[in-house]
Amino acid sequence: MTEDEFDLFYTAACPRLVGQLYALTGDYAEAQDVVQEAFARAWERRSSVLTGDRNPEAWIRTVAHRLAMSRWRRARHWWELVRGEPAPRPMPEPSPDHVALVTALRRLPEAQRTAIVLHHLCDLSVEQIAAETGAAVGTIKARLSRGRTALAAHLVSEENHSTEEACV
């Protein structure tokens, strides 16, 4: 892949990947950071990663997701050691629907959340998700089914909770 081809690929894929990682992590700045790091790693390995039958966007998404999970584990461990509170980050205010969706997604187990985001936000097929995550097709179908059920329940309970607060 030439430098110009990489630039075109980056321009097309970066916003989509940041949105996907934001849905997975719930932290926009972290999503931007891990996607940038994943693209940097892809650039270093462009002769092997970005050629042939491989799907470069899937590779970058996988690397970014692994980086985010690794960072989250390190941060969690560090906060457990110091027992402090994280400093709030200034961010633009999201819409109520966006907040409800991210809150509901955070309540799902990681495997279900990953399957839901990859299928519904990244438009990947069940087979593509299975190949990307290393899980069986049947397992992905089960995660999607259970994840949708749990997500719907969380969204309904969130909606009911918001309605009750508005009435008070």
Side-chain angles (χ1 to χ4, degrees):
M1 182 177 275
T2 68
E3 189 172 331
D4 290 337
E5 290 171 333
F6 187 86
D7 288 346
L8 289 173
F9 169 66
Y10 174 85
T11 302
C14 187
R16 187 171 44 247
L17 288 166
V18 169
Q20 294 163 3
L21 267 293
Y22 177 46
L24 287 169
T25 64
D27 185 334
Y28 190 74
E30 183 69 12
Q32 290 176 314
D33 288 347
V34 296
V35 169
Q36 290 300 319
E37 177 63 26
F39 268 106
R41 291 181 183 191
W43 175 254
E44 292 170 358
R45 296 167 180 80
R46 67 187 176 280
S47 61
S48 62
V49 172
L50 304 176
T51 59
D53 295 338
R54 300 183 94 161
N55 180 347
E57 191 168 333
W59 188 89
I60 291 170
R61 183 177 30 258
T62 300
V63 169
H65 183 254
R66 288 179 181 160
L67 286 168
M69 292 304 107
S70 178
R71 287 181 177 191
W72 181 80
R73 286 183 194 105
R74 275 195 307 266
R76 184 183 64 183
H77 178 70
W78 188 79
W79 283 115
E80 287 173 356
L81 292 175
V82 298
R83 299 282 185 203
E85 292 294 320
R89 294 185 189 182
M91 293 183 66
E93 188 172 314
S95 71
D97 289 342
H98 187 105
V99 171
L101 179 60
V102 170
T103 301
L105 281 169
R106 283 183 175 172
R107 291 180 180 164
L108 296 179
E110 182 182 346
Q112 289 177 6
R113 181 173 60 243
T114 300
I116 293 284
V117 168
L118 291 177
H119 188 68
H120 294 286
L121 298 178
C122 303
D123 293 325
L124 295 183
S125 69
V126 171
E127 292 77 17
Q128 290 171 316
I129 297 169
E132 194 167 313
T133 61
V137 170
T139 302
I140 298 301
K141 288 179 180 178
R143 288 176 183 169
L144 285 169
S145 176
R146 291 180 185 132
R148 284 186 204 113
T149 301
L151 190 60
H154 291 311
L155 288 172
V156 167
S157 69
E158 191 71 27
E159 184 178 295
N160 289 340
H161 181 67
S162 297
T163 304
E164 290 171 4
E165 285 180 353
C167 293
V168 174

